[in-house]
């Protein structure tokens, strides 16, 4: 290549910025389609309903023995209710660990992934998505505001709630 020299080339600008070739990285992989807000809402409602229904057998048992003078039966009803709740939580944790889905998300065919597309570990899901929301939601006065702001952030352009931003996650169609 001919060197540009203002003495030899009358069109060369000695005050021009240096020239270089710019390397442009390859484009990012195609991101999965985000789950829409309605699908996420229905999945959350389904999870809440299933959460309550997991305790129904124990509740029925408790209501049947209410008013009777048998404390052992009341304790048994509480144990059945706790067992149903623990069973639902363990199954949900298993699904979250394996697929990034709760029961409601599985029904709605959506799942939680990291923003780079990798799988969300169960510890990240619990300690970055659930625990901070539950902890801040339990603070008097501030918890109410936080519990309102967190889900309302889904109306941003990237459809990520505050717990998604904290955990670096997105919800996509499975």
């Amino acid at each position: 290549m001919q060197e540009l020299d203002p003495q030899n080339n009358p069109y060369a600008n000695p005050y021009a910025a240096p020239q270089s070739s710019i390397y442009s990285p390859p484009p990012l992989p195609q991101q999965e389609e985000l789950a829409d807000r309605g699908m996420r809402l229905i999945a959350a409602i389904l999870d809440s309903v299933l959460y309550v229904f997991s305790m129904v057998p124990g509740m029925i048992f408790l209501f049947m023995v209410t008013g009777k003078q048998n404390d052992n039966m009341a304790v048994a009803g509480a144990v059945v209710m706790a067992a149903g709740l623990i069973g639902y939580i363990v199954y949900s944790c298993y699904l979250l660990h394996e697929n990034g889905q709760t029961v409601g998300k599985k029904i709605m065919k959506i799942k939680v992934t990291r923003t780079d597309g990798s799988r969300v570990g169960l510890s990240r899901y619990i300690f970055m998505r659930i625990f901070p929301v539950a902890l801040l939601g339990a603070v008097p006065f501030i918890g109410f505001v936080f519990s309102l702001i967190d889900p309302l952030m889904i109306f941003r352009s990237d459809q990520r709630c505050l717990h998604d931003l904290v955990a670096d996650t997105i919800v996509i169609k499975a």
Side-chain angles (χ1 to χ4, degrees):
M1 181 171 146
Q2 183 182 12
E3 187 176 335
L4 294 179
D5 184 11
Q7 296 167 347
N8 296 338
N9 185 353
Y11 301 109
N13 181 357
Y15 306 106
Q19 300 289 323
S20 67
S21 61
I22 298 174
Y23 169 75
S24 87
L28 294 173
Q30 182 65 28
Q31 189 177 17
E32 298 287 335
E33 185 179 357
L34 292 175
D36 61 48
R37 295 172 185 100
M39 294 173 80
R40 290 182 70 172
L41 176 64
I42 293 170
I45 291 170
L46 286 171
D47 284 333
S48 298
V49 168
L50 292 170
Y51 176 80
V52 170
F53 275 128
S54 69
M55 296 183 287
V56 166
M59 288 180 190
I60 292 171
F61 195 73
L62 276 175
F63 288 132
M64 288 179 11
V65 298
T66 301
K68 299 187 170 100
Q69 298 298 330
N70 193 345
D71 290 336
N72 292 336
M73 296 300 283
V75 170
V79 168
V80 170
M81 189 168 68
L85 180 63
I86 290 170
Y88 174 76
I89 290 171
V90 167
Y91 183 64
S92 292
C93 286
Y94 169 76
L95 288 176
L96 284 169
H97 178 71
E98 290 296 315
N99 305 326
Q101 297 173 306
T102 58
V103 177
K105 285 180 176 64
K106 191 171 186 73
I107 292 169
M108 294 306 300
K109 296 183 174 123
I110 59 177
K111 68 179 183 176
V112 180
T113 64
R114 299 282 306 267
T115 53
D116 63 1
S118 63
R119 184 177 72 85
V120 178
L122 183 60
S123 60
R124 174 174 287 275
Y125 196 92
I126 291 172
F127 294 113
M128 297 295 285
R129 265 181 77 99
I130 296 173
F131 187 68
V133 173
L135 187 65
L136 288 173
V139 175
F141 305 112
I142 299 171
F144 171 73
V145 173
F146 177 76
S147 296
L148 184 62
I149 290 172
D150 178 38
L152 286 177
M153 287 185 71
I154 199 168
F155 294 105
R156 297 169 5 127
S157 62
D158 64 356
Q159 298 182 15
R160 293 172 69 196
C161 296
L162 186 57
H163 60 266
D164 290 316
L165 294 173
V166 169
D168 186 38
T169 58
I170 55 174
V171 180
I172 61 171
K173 292 182 179 179

